[in-house]
């Protein structure tokens, strides 16, 4: 077994992007990819969108099996890494195989948050993180349509809202329960959250905000009802869309520093120089001396590219302009940058009532932009944030910015 091997733990977006970057540098033959899933790395975003709505929609792989073979990448599917021996530089697989490594990259993503109050394995309670979840949820949703049953979504975050919109488009009766006083509390501005609420109401979804769940009635592995703000509500099927927890167990078990994510430097190195980490499982340094963990495809792809650079012996630091998208029925949201603690907002309306952009500015600088059905604004905003150009809010509103020069 070669000692200059790179072992990638995880088979998601970050792992796929790292395989591509290393292959492009002619290093594919050094790579072992270990994933506990049975599929090769695939695109996760469609799982809450088109995949749920179309019975014939298949999982979209990043690369097919032949590509991994051509690059010399050895894949170990349905076979998790269960232990890392940092002293011996070995990753121990569930199958008992021990892979030696010169470099190990943790790309373990997140797992769905669940509720302590609910026993596991209830037959009508679902989460959505992977292809297996999506397949069983899609089957269930289609059975529910035929039986005229009701779906309850707990959590008004991105994934919960995307599932709610997909289920409505399938024709299901849907209620979303959000414990906070607004939707998407952690991620978007109050103005955008209000628009999202109106959008879901217009789709016919029942929305209950500030919904406090007081108790759960469980019988025979089935959640029968819940009590919300004093009222009992029968449950046919419940989706838990209450966020994700970084998958850091392997890292903490082998003594790496973990603090709401595996702690890395700007080059994706953990506290052990032979071990790197990328993607949703990572807490990385910000320019103001803080630390942040992001859950997005952009973050996974860009961190993988930086990790490849580090593995190839060059230094590039991760300093992203984060961006994200979400599709909730006919509404496509796109966000660029991060919301600062305080800001002034300039709204630009698009060609119809459902299309607009909220430009969030601090002084004459654009720090964050939230677009609904306005993809050109989103692309422009990413450039404006990145280049830190001085802006007059009036020019944003009056369409005076020469879009093409920013997109060139
Ligand atoms: C339903 C859904 C919809 C989404 N929609 C969007 C969207 O619209 N836009 C957007 O930007 N982002 C979206 N995201 C988020 C995006 O998919 C994630 O940010 C991205 O997948 C993160 O990539 P990752 O490689 O860090 O983790 P993941 O893609 O989660 O991959 C982690 C992998 O590691 C494996 N693993 C974990 N532990 C081990 C182990 N010990 N051994 C072996 N394998 C292990 C897991 O099984 C998994 O395959 C969505 C996510 C979901 C679940």
């Amino acid at each position: 077994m070669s000692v200059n091997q790179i072992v990638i733990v995880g088979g998601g977006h970050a792992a796929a992007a790292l395989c591509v970057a290393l292959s492009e540098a002619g290093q594919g033959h050094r790579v072992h990819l270990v994933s506990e899933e049975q599929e090769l790395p695939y695109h996760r975003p469609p799982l809450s969108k088109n995949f749920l709505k179309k019975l014939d929609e298949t999982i979209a792989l990043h690369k097919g099996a032949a590509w991994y073979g051509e690059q010399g990448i050895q894949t170990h599917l349905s076979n998790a890494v269960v232990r890392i021996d940092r002293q011996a530089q070995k990753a121990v697989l569930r199958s008992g195989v021990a892979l030696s490594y010169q470099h190990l990259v943790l790309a373990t993503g997140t797992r769905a948050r669940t509720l302590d109050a609910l026993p596991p394995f209830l037959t009508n309670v679902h989460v959505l993180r992977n292809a297996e979840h999506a397949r069983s949820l899609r089957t269930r949703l289609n059975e529910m349509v035929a039986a005229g049953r009701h779906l309850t979504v707990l959590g008004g975050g991105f994934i919960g809202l995307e599932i709610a919109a997909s289920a409505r488009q399938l024709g299901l009766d849907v209620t979303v329960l959000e414990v906070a006083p607004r939707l998407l509390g952690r991620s978007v501005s109050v103005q955008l959250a209000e628009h999202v609420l109106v959008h879901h109401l217009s789709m016919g979804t029942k929305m209950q905000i500030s919904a406090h769940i007081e108790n759960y009635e469980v019988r025979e592995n089935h959640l029968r009802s819940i009590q919300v703000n004093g009222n009992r509500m029968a449950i046919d099927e419940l989706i838990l869309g209450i966020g994700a927890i970084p998958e850091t167990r392997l890292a903490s078990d082998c003594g790496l520093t973990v603090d709401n994510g595996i702690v890395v430097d700007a080059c994706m190195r953990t506290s052990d120089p032979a071990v790197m980490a990328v993607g949703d499982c990572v807490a990385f340094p910000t320019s103001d001396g803080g630390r942040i963990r992001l859950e997005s495809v952009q973050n996974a792809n860009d961190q993988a590219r930086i990790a490849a650079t580090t593995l190839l012996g060059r230094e590039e630091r991760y300093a992203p302009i984060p961006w994200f998208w979400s599709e909730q029925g006919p509404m496509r949201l796109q966000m660029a940058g991060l919301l600062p603690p305080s800001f002034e907002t300039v709204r630009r309306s698009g060609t119809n009532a459902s299309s607009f952009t909220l430009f969030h500015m601090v002084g004459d600088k654009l720090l964050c932009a939230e677009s609904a059905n306005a993809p050109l604004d989103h692309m422009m905003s990413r450039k404006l944030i990145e280049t830190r150009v001085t802006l007059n809010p009036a020019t944003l509103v009056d369409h005076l910015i020469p879009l093409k020069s920013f997109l060139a």
Side-chain angles (χ1 to χ4, degrees):
M1 197 171 280
S2 161
V3 287
N4 70 356
Q5 281 180 168
I6 299 169
V7 173
I8 303 174
V9 189
H13 277 264
L18 186 53
C19 285
V20 170
L22 289 171
S23 296
E24 283 171 358
Q27 300 295 312
H29 61 282
R30 294 175 60 193
V31 176
H32 283 253
L33 179 139
V34 186
S35 175
E36 63 188 359
E37 295 194 64
Q38 64 185 22
E39 290 87 4
L40 287 164
Y42 56 86
H43 292 271
R44 234 164 265 271
L47 299 183
S48 47
K49 308 174 181 81
N50 268 349
F51 187 84
L52 282 187
K53 290 183 276 189
K54 296 188 186 153
L55 277 173
D56 58 353
E57 190 83 4
T58 51
I59 297 293
L61 298 180
H62 287 269
K63 299 283 183 189
W67 181 85
Y68 289 92
E70 283 157 18
Q71 306 309 318
I73 296 173
Q74 296 195 39
T75 57
H76 307 256
L77 303 180
S78 306
N79 196 357
V81 170
V82 292
R83 192 168 60 83
I84 297 165
D85 182 339
R86 289 205 285 131
Q87 205 136 33
Q89 300 204 182
K90 282 185 195 301
V92 181
L93 275 53
R94 191 164 49 209
S95 61
V97 167
L99 294 174
S100 295
Y101 64 81
Q102 182 188 14
H103 295 284
L104 181 99
V105 185
L106 293 164
T108 46
T110 56
R111 63 177 183 278
R113 189 184 294 279
T114 52
L115 286 170
D116 290 343
L118 283 181
F121 312 121
L122 294 175
T123 51
N124 63 337
V125 176
H126 312 268
V127 295
L128 178 53
R129 278 303 311 167
N130 59 36
E132 198 184 328
H133 297 150
R135 286 194 192 97
S136 89
L137 183 59
R138 178 167 71 177
T139 306
R140 198 73 205 102
L141 291 180
N142 279 283
E143 289 165 358
M144 289 169 72
V145 174
R149 291 167 76 79
H150 176 265
L151 178 70
T152 307
V153 177
L154 184 57
F158 285 115
I159 290 186
L161 292 173
E162 289 187 356
I163 297 171
S166 299
R168 271 306 293 150
Q169 289 183 310
L170 280 172
L172 275 169
D173 187 21
V174 181
T175 301
V176 173
L177 303 173
E178 169 55 58
V179 66
R182 51 170 282 204
L183 297 174
L184 296 167
R186 291 172 302 146
S187 347
V188 307
S189 66
V190 173
Q191 297 100 307
L192 186 64
E194 280 167 6
H195 174 79
V196 172
L197 176 64
V198 171
H199 166 77
H200 282 272
L201 290 170
S202 77
M203 287 188 76
T205 305
K206 297 177 194 75
M207 307 292 289
Q208 211 175 327
I209 306 300
S210 299
H212 293 281
I213 303 187
E214 286 133 1
N215 61 56
Y216 300 84
E217 184 203 358
V218 173
R219 262 184 290 133
E220 292 155 6
N221 279 338
H222 200 88
L223 177 64
R224 304 281 158 174
S225 69
I226 56 180
Q227 185 172 308
V228 186
N229 297 350
N231 300 313
R232 186 137 298 278
M233 184 177 168
I235 298 292
D236 288 340
E237 303 284 332
L238 181 85
I239 309 271
L240 290 178
I242 53 173
I245 298 171
E247 190 54 84
T248 56
R249 271 179 300 210
L250 275 179
S252 46
D253 285 357
C254 70
L256 297 173
T257 309
V258 170
D259 180 10
N260 180 35
I262 304 167
V263 171
V264 293
D265 66 12
C267 300
M268 303 296 123
R269 289 176 293 234
T270 68
S271 45
D272 175 345
V275 181
M276 305 175 73
V278 285
D280 281 13
C281 62
V282 153
F284 65 90
T286 53
S287 55
D288 60 5
R291 198 166 281 291
I292 192 172
R293 193 176 68 76
L294 295 175
E295 292 172 18
S296 74
V297 166
Q298 168 274 318
N299 182 63
N301 285 341
D302 290 350
Q303 288 192 346
R305 193 181 48 75
I306 298 285
T309 307
T310 309
L311 286 166
L312 296 169
R314 298 195 299 271
E315 179 160 328
E316 195 183 335
R317 301 174 72 77
Y318 184 53
I321 306 297
W323 57 267
F324 185 79
W325 82 97
S326 171
E327 282 165 31
Q328 299 169 26
M331 178 179 68
R332 183 175 176 87
L333 300 176
Q334 290 170 292
M335 277 69 70
L338 293 176
L339 271 183
S342 61
F343 50 86
E344 189 190 336
T345 299
V346 177
R347 181 191 163 108
R348 180 157 84 174
S349 300
T351 45
N352 59 56
S354 66
S355 157
F356 63 88
T357 295
L358 302 169
F359 296 96
H360 303 301
M361 305 192 57
V362 175
D364 55 13
K365 297 281 183 294
L366 180 66
L367 291 198
C368 173
E370 300 171 315
S371 305
N373 297 332
L376 268 183
D377 277 4
H378 170 71
M379 294 307 287
M380 177 188 71
S381 302
R382 277 164 52 183
K383 287 278 180 198
L384 293 175
I385 295 170
E386 189 185 321
T387 48
R388 293 190 57 77
V389 286
T390 300
L391 294 166
N392 175 353
T395 61
L396 288 167
V397 177
D398 296 341
H399 293 70
L400 293 180
I401 288 185
L403 271 177
K404 284 197 175 129
S405 70
F406 282 107
L407 294 175

